[in-house]
Amino acid sequence: QVQLKESGPVLVQASETLSLTCTVSGFSLTNYGVIWVRQPPGKGLEWMGIIWRNGNTDYNSALKSRLSINRDTSKSQVFLKMNSLQTDDTAIYYCTRWFAYWGQGTLVTVSS
Amino acid sequence: DVVLTQTPPTLSATIGQSVSISCRSSQSLLHSNGNTYLHWLLQRPGQSPQLLIYSVSRLESGVPNRFSGSGSGTDFTLKISGVEAEDLGVYYCVQGTHAPWTFGGGTKLELK
């Protein structure tokens, strides 16, 4: 069955780079795109970006300068990297396949 | 970027009551390919979001048919015909017609 699982650090220092991995199973990354979404504590959902099945990417305008999304299709993994972290980047980070399947999310806290 | 405005921000309902949530877009969500990529999600407390409706009015597999979506262009509505206790949570609209994709601010459905 389709599954997605986020992994990465729980705590990151301000100004450092966040690296998250979304490991998928039950489908191929060459057939489906994967989206990253984040949610600050107590707030709404924010679309971060997408890596399409052909490997192309689109990013949130406000995050574009410090965000990159890549993948390793052989390992069924999608990678998110975001630099120059600030405390307001503290959030639950989700990966999702077209909003129909979601990971459990991973809470990342940015410490000053 | 496309701005999605959801109203009301909070909705109080009794069990069995029918309710509607509005999502208005700052520009038409009709794609050049003829499709309209406006979707509805529900996030229950402490859970990952769940897809309810995709492409305006198509019911996601496994979602009860008391949920329905309608609209076109810039105005869209999610209707719940007979609220049940399991429907409580925050509802989001999201558009995938124009990059970058964007979420509405959310509508919290509470019990009256």
Side-chain angles (χ1 to χ4, degrees):
Chain A
Q1 70 277 29
V2 173
Q3 292 185 325
L4 302 93
K5 186 173 184 179
E6 307 87 352
S7 59
V10 174
L11 184 64
V12 181
Q13 296 299 312
S15 79
E16 293 188 345
T17 296
L18 173 65
S19 295
L20 295 176
T21 299
C22 175
T23 302
V24 310
S25 58
F27 68 99
S28 170
L29 293 175
T30 57
N31 289 332
Y32 291 91
V34 169
I35 299 158
W36 285 95
V37 174
R38 70 177 181 175
Q39 184 171 38
K43 296 189 178 181
L45 301 173
E46 179 179 31
W47 187 85
M48 299 184 71
I50 182 172
I51 185 160
W52 297 88
R53 61 181 181 176
N54 64 4
N56 289 346
T57 53
D58 283 303
Y59 298 115
N60 179 311
S61 300
L63 302 176
K64 193 172 184 177
S65 63
R66 56 191 187 104
L67 177 65
S68 68
I69 299 174
N70 293 287
R71 68 182 185 180
D72 183 331
T73 57
S74 66
K75 293 183 178 179
S76 295
Q77 292 181 322
V78 176
F79 309 107
L80 177 147
K81 286 193 175 182
M82 190 162 68
N83 60 32
S84 303
L85 287 184
Q86 300 301 318
T87 54
D88 60 2
D89 291 313
T90 294
I92 298 173
Y93 288 76
Y94 298 98
C95 57
T96 170
R97 193 191 93 172
W98 290 98
F99 305 123
Y101 298 92
W102 292 74
Q104 62 193 20
T106 184
L107 175 61
V108 177
T109 300
V110 180
S111 172
S112 58
Chain B
D1 296 0
V2 172
V3 176
L4 297 180
T5 302
Q6 283 186 239
T7 55
T10 305
L11 194 51
S12 295
T14 56
I15 301 300
Q17 182 180 353
S18 292
V19 298
S20 293
I21 299 170
S22 169
C23 178
R24 290 189 169 175
S25 174
S26 61
Q27 56 184 279
S28 175
L29 298 184
L30 177 63
H31 195 278
S32 56
N33 66 11
N35 294 320
T36 299
Y37 299 105
L38 186 284
H39 321 302
W40 291 95
L41 311 175
L42 164 61
Q43 187 176 32
R44 298 184 177 95
Q47 296 187 16
S48 299
Q50 170 194 0
L51 180 64
L52 300 175
I53 301 282
Y54 64 95
S55 299
V56 181
S57 59
R58 300 183 180 185
L59 195 66
E60 174 67 359
S61 176
V63 174
N65 61 12
R66 63 179 178 274
F67 292 94
S68 62
S70 62
S72 64
T74 60
D75 288 346
F76 303 91
T77 302
L78 174 71
K79 182 177 181 180
I80 310 172
S81 300
V83 169
E84 298 192 6
E86 65 181 18
D87 300 338
L88 303 183
V90 182
Y91 290 80
Y92 295 94
C93 55
V94 55
Q95 68 84 20
T97 296
H98 302 288
W101 299 8
T102 46
F103 283 96
T107 295
K108 186 175 184 179
L109 178 60
E110 303 175 326
L111 268 182
K112 189 181 292 184

